[in-house]
Amino acid sequence: MKRFDILMAVVLLMAVACASNETIAQPPSILGAEAWPGQPFGVGKISFRTGQEGRLIQNTGGLLLHEAENRVFYPAFTSGLLSKVFDRPVVGGVQSVWFLFRGEQPLTISLRADESVTVTVTPERRRRPARERLAFQSWWRQFNAASNERREAGDYPPLVETYLASMLQRRLGLNEPLLERARERRGDEFQETFNLLFDVESIRAESIRQLMTTPPDADLAVMPVPPPATWSAPPPLVVPVEIEIEAIARFVPVECFYLRFGNWNNQLWLKRLMSEYGGDLSQMVSLRGHRGGDTQKMLDQLVLESSQIDDWFGGNLIEDVAVIGTDLYVEEGPSNAVLLLAKNDSLEDRISKRRTAYASQHADDGVTLTEVPVAGRTVTLLASPDNRVRSFHAVVDRCHITSSSQRIIERFFEAADGSGSLVGNAEFRGARTVLPLEHDHTVFIYLSRAFFENLLSPRYQIELARRNRSLANIQLLQLAQWAAVHEGYADDDIGQMIQHGFLPESFNQLPDGSASNWIDGAWHDSMRGRRGYYLPIADVDVQSITAAESAWLNERLAFFQEELREVDPLLLAFKRFDLGNNVERVVVDGRVAPFGKEKYGWLGNLLGPPMTVEIRGGPDDLIAFQASLSGNLLSRGEAHQVFAAVQSDVPPRTSLQPASFLEMLQLLRTTPGYLGAWPTPGYLDRLPALGARPDAAGYTYSRILDVWRLQFDDFSLISFDRNRLEAARGWIGVQPAERPAQVRLRVGDVANSNLRQWANVVYFDRAWQTSIANVRLLNLMIQQLGIPAETALDQAEHLLGVTLVCPLGGEYVFAETGDHSMAWQSTVWPSFDDPQMPSEYTAPPIAWFRGMSLDVYQLQTQFVVHATLDIARGAGPGSDGERGGFWEVLPDFGAFKGFSPLEELPPARDPADTDGELRAPGKS
């Protein structure tokens, strides 16, 4: 037997041994306990072994430590070697818990698993400073290690972990562990810019860390806002004079993003699709553990979401529909608007009556409808004091705008009068030559150069940073209140919380003078309004900045000037086609410029010339990838194509038990497929022992890699299976491509292949772990912050501003476990003793995915993208094979403008063609 197999067998036997003991409810066995007093805290450690019944408790972080007089704080549980090997808790092994405590009297500590055990720990009376320092360092190292494990496993913003670690570090004068300092190098300007622009979830946690660890600004003198960065001028564009432009584009300011549906039905299709997946299309693919509901909140704020309006607009009154805005920050108050191009004057009367009725119905909530002057004209404002309703409405020449932003209303008027609209913008007109209006796309997206430049302007950047700090202030105060109460301090005295280190000295000292307040059951920023409904950034007038803000901003502007230099527009279009048998094809065409081109310079050096041919794969190829490489980095300067395929006879995976590293290696060895190069071997010649002269049949074998190589007709193929290579010899070849590309990806119908079971198991296991991570957050708040167990879910959702969801479709409940103790869990979790995937489970993509293709081509500074995605409409998630949910309410294919039979596909544009002339697919 090979050493690889022996080692894998040993690991599996160890796992079986750990899992095969009889399950008998019993408390943890205490193996040892010791404690060393100190100021302000002493440090203690308990070693223990849990019984086999503790699987649910241990996997969900439900091991809880409690001291009779509430003198123990901030425990850090550690697990043994097997847990590290399997990357999950393994019950029955030796574990330990490090903790802090107050006082020098004996501690009466309860350790709870499914059953609880109580142990008395007597602190040492003889002081041993060196031993105490070592113990304190051990606790701190384990506390940080446990926090990192939760960050990596969780799908929620790690606010609690970040607050606890930064608060304790600052309060106790600790240094970050060496490993943490290596991991948390300061992010570069590109990453910081990306995070801020796209409002990624990590911003909140980073803002809390900075507030807790950064000294308050010493210089609060105000300074003027610097001018914007000087961007490189785009090359001149030659655009045909007679290019057709949609009428609604006249009303779109050039600095706004532009999302055009063409008609109301197309908008309904996207809205209902999003609704099916909780308002987040990423749920179709990913397994998110939380849901924000931002899209619904945005429509509610504009008072545009109702079945009445849908009935009114269902194609009878509306000619065109678009969503525009100067940013995408829907979570905390976006600057956006909805444009409706009316077919006749009756729409204005309908909208007016609707807004009047809404104000009357919600008068008790403070909603008012008033006329306000904007840019010398009169508009109506439907608003509530807390900004939950903020809806400006105006009309110019049949075009209705409803916006949360007064500034966008002003720009709407200016654009309508001919100043700075898309219709007169050369870049937008150029975009319409690439994706002409006549193609009648279902969804058309355009983000202009001016849109990105506005987002990167000093005023936008400063306000973005300020509102992120404002949000961090609110969340920081909530966390500090919980921590203070848990340690026995008052939660309503900010001065005392600052004095004891729960809050930084700079708390509530925002550069613009705003403060966080609790009003009518919700947090408010004194300048921006209610959390979740902040004043739109476009409406915030940034008059001055502090010295610290000036230094930060100048650093960013210098980065923009030196590294970004220019920003390019983004162009995407989606069109849907009926393939028959309840399958639709979504065709995506676009031009995308990578944000921060200097970061991707290596990619341009790596990619070779465009491929006008593609490698013909085998009949069983399920996933196929091809790329053109320049050879500059990997081989001898010879341009060549690499290709790889995974074939349909994938070995099934049925176990939900964690796989060891060796099992993953074995899975890789048994995955059916091949890797190849053409017309030169390129980097394959550099693989160990594969560069030797082949035998008479064309084969070379590497004992080091246990892999075969076959060379014939300018092809070089490698695989773990020689028979697979011999079969490939019969069908592999080169054929003309429909369009040139440097990267191609083809994925077949996974749902009707052997990969279906494997994908279901992988997705179910990942969804289960994401669901567990949410419960670990609840248990973290119970243990570290003293949150009552029954209220932990509500408190966590309030803190994060999201709804925690179980990706498996269950509900989180605080209920009895199998051994009659109470714990947070999901209603659909499998048994932790013998986990089995339900036979009816289908991974989200498997339910709808029926194939895809992707071609990418680099054209100057942009990437030209052409993709197709085939979607099954017969059975949506949770429909058990029958039409239901959003699948039932969707209109038929023929009801959509821009929805054509497959034979009416528009001709494809050759990415190399820059003269504006359309060409048929595959024709030159």
Side-chain angles (χ1 to χ4, degrees), residues 548-691:
E549 288 179 323
S550 178
W552 173 80
L553 192 56
N554 286 333
E555 184 178 353
R556 298 179 66 73
L557 292 177
F559 166 73
F560 299 160
Q561 202 82 43
E562 296 169 7
E563 301 295 335
L564 294 185
R565 300 193 183 100
E566 63 177 317
V567 289
D568 289 328
L570 179 147
L571 173 64
L572 286 174
F574 302 80
K575 187 162 183 177
R576 306 181 306 129
F577 299 92
D578 185 2
L579 299 185
N581 297 320
N582 288 325
V583 176
E584 67 182 26
R585 171 165 292 172
V586 178
V587 179
V588 183
D589 283 290
R591 295 200 176 186
V592 181
F595 183 69
K597 303 178 189 65
E598 298 299 321
K599 286 289 179 180
Y600 299 97
W602 61 271
L603 186 57
N605 293 328
L606 178 63
L607 291 176
M611 302 177 287
T612 57
V613 298
E614 59 181 311
I615 306 301
R616 182 177 62 248
D620 296 326
D621 289 358
L622 186 62
I623 303 173
F625 172 82
Q626 299 177 29
S628 172
L629 299 184
S630 65
N632 293 336
L633 300 181
L634 298 176
S635 63
R636 302 165 182 168
E638 300 171 325
H640 59 285
Q641 295 182 27
V642 295
F643 53 93
V646 175
Q647 297 179 306
S648 59
D649 53 331
V650 176
R653 177 186 173 189
T654 58
S655 173
L656 294 177
Q657 296 290 353
S660 69
F661 174 72
L662 297 178
E663 287 177 300
M664 295 305 294
L665 286 179
Q666 180 65 11
L667 176 64
L668 178 63
R669 290 179 55 196
T670 57
T671 297
Y674 56 86
L675 173 68
W678 176 88
T680 63
Y683 71 92
L684 294 188
D685 271 344
R686 300 202 169 191
L687 295 177
L690 287 176

Side-chain angles (χ1 to χ4, degrees), residues 4 7-9 11-12 15 81-88 653 657-669:
F4 174 87
L7 185 56
M8 189 173 69
V11 173
L12 292 176
L81 176 61
L82 283 180
S83 294
K84 302 298 183 184
V85 172
F86 289 99
D87 196 30
R88 299 183 194 182
R653 177 186 173 189
Q657 296 290 353
S660 69
F661 174 72
L662 297 178
E663 287 177 300
M664 295 305 294
L665 286 179
Q666 180 65 11
L667 176 64
L668 178 63
R669 290 179 55 196

